[in-house]
Amino acid sequence: MNKKISTFREKIINDIYSLEEDGVYKDFELTVGIATEWITGYVLNALPKKIKARKSESYLLKSSRIQGGWGFNSNVVADADSTAIVIAGMSIENVKNKDIDFLEQHIRESGGVSTYIEHDLLLAFNDNNKYFPKAPLNIYRGWLQEHLSTSCNTLIALKSVLSDKKKGKMETFIMNNFSDGVWWDYWWKDWYYPTMVAVLALEGDISNYYKHKIISYISETQLINGGWGKKEFEPFATSCIMITLKTLGYEQSILYTDAIESFINNSDYRVNLSGRARMKVPSADELSHIKGTIVKDNGIFTLATMYNALNY
């Protein structure tokens, strides 16, 4: 089994490196263009720190905004989620104070983190920006609310520099969003990714009571083939749950073993990549996790998550 997983992982990493373009990774094409900055940071965070990462870090250092931070790509202003993911993926010596300061500006009194602050939204949605129409700020209020996954990614990125008081507030905010064994989020159509980043953010601070609830939910939603997904095995969903299990200390469990076997049995993973990471577009009239628009995805985001899950 270990040899099969090693071979499988090698296929994934080769696919990932083949998609690199001068240090840049791309995914999730929207009206503002294709994602480059945050997705490159995400790949760096998932992969081992190899020589090839230097090109990506060089690209990210050059693309950091004057005031700090990174965005979806260079066409839009920097945001907290992209910045948190990039900081987490960068080597510690390359993280600048201006980027940390930029990210901290998005932490609210509640401990939650908004994707944008009003000042940056006003810059983004103005007459000079060809990607967004000029409109009253309340049209885009969904971008200003506290988002669970953004809060989790921020805590992951800044854990070593935040005060205990601020960390405590952020952890409380995350736990206040816990719902019957998992986490849901405004940005995501499913619970897999929000649950993964919440567990990663909280690390060892989850009590056995909550661990039991999480594991029970995961066990109840497991498919007959050993993986997870809406109706069939999905690499992204299964990967997120495997990372959750590892973080909770369940990498020796039957659940984890079943997940690995499901990857082996569904080894033609390319067939299942497209459309499996179900992100949503925030809008003014959609402020819950129930509704939302599924964004078309490409594959590098899923591949990086898969590699991280199988790299044990």
Side-chain angles (χ1 to χ4, degrees), residues 114-268:
S114 61
T115 301
Y116 289 107
I117 53 178
E118 278 197 29
H119 172 267
D120 290 337
L121 264 193
L122 289 169
L123 288 177
F125 301 103
N126 63 57
D127 291 328
N128 297 320
N129 194 323
K130 64 181 179 180
Y131 298 104
F132 298 102
K134 176 72 173 174
L137 190 62
N138 67 345
I139 294 296
Y140 304 106
R141 70 182 185 273
W143 300 91
L144 297 173
Q145 75 175 43
E146 297 130 311
H147 299 130
L148 174 72
S149 59
T150 303
S151 305
C152 294
N153 285 327
T154 298
L155 183 55
I156 291 167
L158 299 184
K159 190 164 282 191
S160 64
V161 299
L162 290 174
S163 67
D164 289 342
K165 183 179 179 181
K166 193 165 280 189
K167 277 190 287 190
K169 278 190 173 184
M170 295 183 77
E171 288 171 353
T172 298
F173 174 84
I174 293 168
M175 286 309 305
N176 285 342
N177 281 274
F178 186 76
S179 177
D180 297 325
V182 291
W183 284 264
W184 294 86
D185 189 25
Y186 180 67
W187 280 105
W188 292 87
K189 194 71 176 171
D190 298 312
W191 56 273
Y192 317 118
Y193 179 85
T195 299
M196 176 186 76
V197 293
V199 168
L200 285 169
L202 295 169
E203 283 188 303
D205 296 324
I206 301 176
S207 69
N208 288 333
Y209 171 79
Y210 287 106
K211 279 186 182 180
H212 176 73
K213 280 187 166 289
I214 297 166
I215 297 301
S216 294
Y217 194 101
I218 287 173
S219 180
E220 288 167 8
T221 54
Q222 187 178 28
L223 301 172
I224 195 167
N225 64 10
W228 285 264
K230 280 288 186 182
K231 295 180 180 178
E232 60 184 16
F233 168 83
E234 295 176 9
F236 181 72
T238 304
S239 296
C240 288
I241 292 169
M242 286 175 68
I243 293 168
T244 299
L245 290 170
K246 278 197 299 182
T247 307
L248 292 173
Y250 282 78
E251 65 267 33
Q252 301 300 321
S253 66
I254 295 297
L255 282 171
Y256 194 82
T257 304
D258 285 348
I260 290 175
E261 289 183 353
S262 72
F263 268 108
I264 296 300
N265 295 332
N266 293 274
S267 57
D268 188 14

